[in-house]
Amino acid sequence: QVQFVESGGGLVQPGGSLRLSCATSGSIFRFYDMDWYRQAPGKQRELVAGITTYGRTNYADSVKGRFTISRDSAKNTLVLQMSSLKVEDTAVYYCNRRPQTDYWGQGTQVTVSS
């Protein structure tokens, strides 16, 4: 069974930074492109950033220049470094492989508030 375990969320003031991590199995991490998603209250889940197995990245326009996605192959961990956080970044953040599976982790809550 595919598993994703997200961590690193928390409460941060606008302009602050957070580093999210997503752990998964080596077989998933090694062979699949990976994505970060988020879901804000009352909204649909949206794609935030993605990275291929070769390291090519893509970002939603709303986070471009503020978020950085990366892969830590030694730890089979997907990372999302978030800076210059805004109130509208508040959401539960999830990771998944590409193509997306039906198995979603519990996510990690990011709250940006003063």
Side-chain angles (χ1 to χ4, degrees):
Q1 183 175 338
V2 176
Q3 281 191 319
F4 303 104
V5 180
E6 301 91 350
S7 62
L11 173 63
V12 63
Q13 292 187 341
S17 299
L18 280 175
R19 179 183 171 93
L20 306 185
S21 296
C22 165
T24 187
S25 68
S27 59
I28 293 292
F29 195 79
R30 188 176 305 118
F31 298 116
Y32 288 91
D33 301 342
M34 297 290 295
D35 294 315
W36 278 103
Y37 293 82
R38 67 186 180 188
Q39 186 167 20
K43 294 187 177 181
Q44 290 196 337
R45 189 175 289 151
E46 63 173 351
L47 179 65
V48 174
I51 185 167
T52 70
T53 55
Y54 295 101
R56 179 175 293 180
T57 60
N58 60 277
Y59 297 93
D61 287 343
S62 59
V63 308
K64 207 170 288 184
R66 301 187 297 120
F67 290 10
T68 302
I69 187 172
S70 61
R71 307 172 72 110
D72 184 338
S73 298
K75 298 180 180 179
N76 296 329
T77 298
L78 182 70
V79 175
L80 186 68
Q81 179 67 48
M82 307 186 297
S83 60
S84 301
L85 282 163
K86 303 176 180 180
V87 172
E88 51 264 42
D89 294 319
T90 295
V92 180
Y93 285 70
Y94 303 88
C95 64
N96 210 312
R97 73 170 202 203
R98 194 187 316 159
Q100 190 184 104
T101 74
D102 292 330
Y103 297 97
W104 293 92
Q106 82 288 350
T108 187
Q109 175 70 49
V110 172
T111 302
V112 185
S113 174
S114 56

